[in-house]
Amino acid sequence: MMKGTCSRMFAALVDLAEGRESAEAAAHVAQCASCAGVLRDLERGVRSLRAGFYDAPADVTAAAKSIFPLPVRVAVRLLGTTLAGAGARGETAVQAAYEFEGGRARILYQPEEEGWSVMARVEGEGWRAFPAELDEQGRVEFRVQALGEARLRLVREGVEVVIDPPSEEADASR
Amino acid sequence: MDRFQNLVYSVARRTGLGSDDAGDVFQATFLALYRNLDRIEQPETLPKWLSVTAAREALKLKRNASRFVDDAAVLDRLDDVLADEEASAEALAIEAEDADYWRRALVELGGRCEQLLTALYLDEKSYDEIMSSLEMPMGAIGPTRARCLEKLRKLYQRDRPEALDS
Ligand SMILES: [Zn+2]
């Protein structure tokens, strides 16, 4: 079937999806697999929208959240920081090493043209990372607008580790 | 929870339950999730698992609330009733998971298109009402809604897993 016919047919496919009649479009769909696929999607979409979406009320989500015990936050020790050379915007890249019960992390905070990139390598079994996932080598990378937002959260079985970038004072004391 | 609350609550509401019952289904679903956390190995199966569980809970609630279960004849074929219920739960879950992709596409679409499609399909407003509430000329509504649906479909297509293709 010619492409021009198909694009001309789209408005009529929407009519069909909404439950209106269009003999011409119905005839076309019967012999055009591509438009039949589009129609199937549109029908699903219109049906889904018409069925409506319902946000759970706040008290309902709060009650359900209370089922899950809050993870215990374990202490993080900053083992040390090193300046890792000048980066963009005259800011300096910083590398920091941390230790906590059940693991260690080494994180490079690197200034970019806009914001910061955070690259971490996590040692220890079973950790899940936020805001991005660990790869098989335990590495994770994400970007933030400001260094202060560069928080890495690690979670495993009821335990949570929160790693914030080293503050200026911590740097100065070294 | 914030990511899945709409999915789970919508399953319950679309089976026709009121807000109190839907709240019970919501709670029961996340309780079941908590009890089965170790058994759900792949995070990508979670939406399906949650929607099937919510659908089962909702249908069970409806069955228990309806008087026809007292009927001895129905009790005799309870196995059939339960099998039907399981099939309905599966179907509802597939529908709900698909609907959630459309919902997220709609949110991402945003702007005038989100307003128009919401008014047309979710709020079931007439063209007359839309003309005044969205300040749109009557003749523009039809073509705009088609364009918006096409954009919506592209977003949906981009994110939807192949498994839903059939
Ligand atoms: Zn075609």
Side-chain angles (χ1 to χ4, degrees):
Chain A
M1 194 56 53
M2 280 169 63
K3 184 103 188 13
T5 316
C6 296
S7 59
R8 198 163 47 75
M9 210 51 75
F10 186 77
L13 293 182
V14 173
D15 285 340
L16 282 182
E18 286 179 340
R20 292 199 183 85
E21 310 245 317
S22 168
E24 189 196 4
H28 175 75
V29 163
Q31 42 179 292
C32 176
S34 150
C35 285
V38 173
L39 177 62
R40 200 167 52 231
D41 274 357
L42 289 173
E43 280 171 343
R44 274 182 179 166
V46 169
R47 193 172 59 231
S48 294
L49 296 177
R50 280 185 176 151
F53 306 117
Y54 301 87
D55 275 325
D59 59 322
V60 170
T61 49
K65 273 180 185 164
S66 69
I67 295 169
F68 298 83
L70 287 177
V72 176
R73 190 180 284 198
V74 299
V76 178
R77 237 188 5 268
L78 177 64
L79 296 176
T81 60
T82 45
L83 301 182
R89 296 177 283 119
E91 299 263 20
T92 310
V94 179
Q95 185 164 272
Y98 304 88
E99 189 178 55
F100 40 88
E101 196 186 310
R104 282 163 170 258
R106 190 172 282 279
I107 309 182
L108 176 65
Y109 304 94
Q110 185 138 27
E112 297 196 325
E113 286 307 320
E114 244 181 272
W116 293 74
S117 80
V118 181
M119 277 175 279
R121 195 188 169 104
V122 177
E123 290 168 29
E125 289 298 303
W127 293 106
R128 295 188 58 203
F130 301 89
E133 288 196 52
L134 293 174
D135 69 10
E136 277 164 17
Q137 278 79 46
R139 282 188 302 244
V140 58
E141 188 175 345
F142 57 94
R143 276 172 180 71
V144 290
Q145 278 305 307
L147 185 57
E149 297 164 4
R151 167 175 284 189
L152 175 68
R153 249 182 90 231
L154 301 171
V155 178
R156 77 172 188 191
E157 291 172 5
V159 176
E160 178 187 51
V161 175
V162 173
I163 306 178
D164 286 319
S167 61
E168 309 250 324
E169 303 87 77
D171 282 348
S173 72
R174 251 152 236 285
Chain B
M1 168 113 25
D2 294 329
R3 191 177 149 210
F4 298 117
Q5 58 84 12
N6 189 294
L7 173 68
V8 169
Y9 199 71
S10 292
V11 170
R13 291 303 302 267
R14 286 202 213 106
T15 62
L17 292 178
S19 55
D20 282 355
D21 286 342
D24 290 345
V25 167
F26 193 88
Q27 184 80 0
T29 302
F30 282 99
L31 194 59
L33 172 64
Y34 178 63
R35 290 187 179 135
N36 290 283
L37 268 181
D38 339 339
R39 263 172 266 173
I40 301 168
E41 276 160 15
Q42 290 149 319
E44 62 271 20
T45 62
L46 191 54
K48 174 83 193 295
W49 191 93
L50 284 170
S51 36
V52 173
T53 306
R56 280 188 198 131
E57 291 291 339
L59 295 174
K60 191 167 77 184
L61 197 76
K62 286 178 73 118
R63 166 162 49 82
N64 290 339
S66 68
R67 272 174 301 150
F68 84 100
V69 204
D70 298 336
D71 192 324
V74 172
L75 273 180
D76 276 348
R77 46 175 214 93
L78 190 60
D79 282 350
D80 292 343
V81 172
L82 292 180
D84 284 353
E85 201 169 288
E86 181 55 25
S88 310
E90 289 281 337
L92 278 169
I94 290 168
E95 189 117 354
E97 214 191 331
D98 189 55
D100 202 52
Y101 281 99
W102 289 102
R103 179 183 67 81
R104 277 183 275 152
L106 184 66
V107 172
E108 189 181 336
L109 186 61
R112 289 292 270 178
C113 274
E114 183 187 2
Q115 287 177 350
L116 177 61
L117 297 180
T118 300
L120 263 176
Y121 301 120
L122 278 93
D123 303 338
E124 296 176 40
K125 293 270 195 309
S126 68
Y127 277 27
D128 276 334
E129 289 168 306
I130 288 170
M131 197 169 67
S132 60
S133 67
L134 294 185
E135 292 175 4
M136 231 177 188
M138 181 64 90
I141 297 175
T144 309
R145 77 144 178 15
R147 267 199 305 281
C148 291
L149 273 178
E150 179 57 357
K151 285 187 193 161
L152 185 75
R153 192 178 73 88
K154 293 243 162 77
L155 292 173
Y156 165 82
Q157 284 259 334
R158 186 199 61 197
D159 293 339
R160 164 187 84 155
E162 293 301 312
L164 290 169
D165 230 345
S166 53

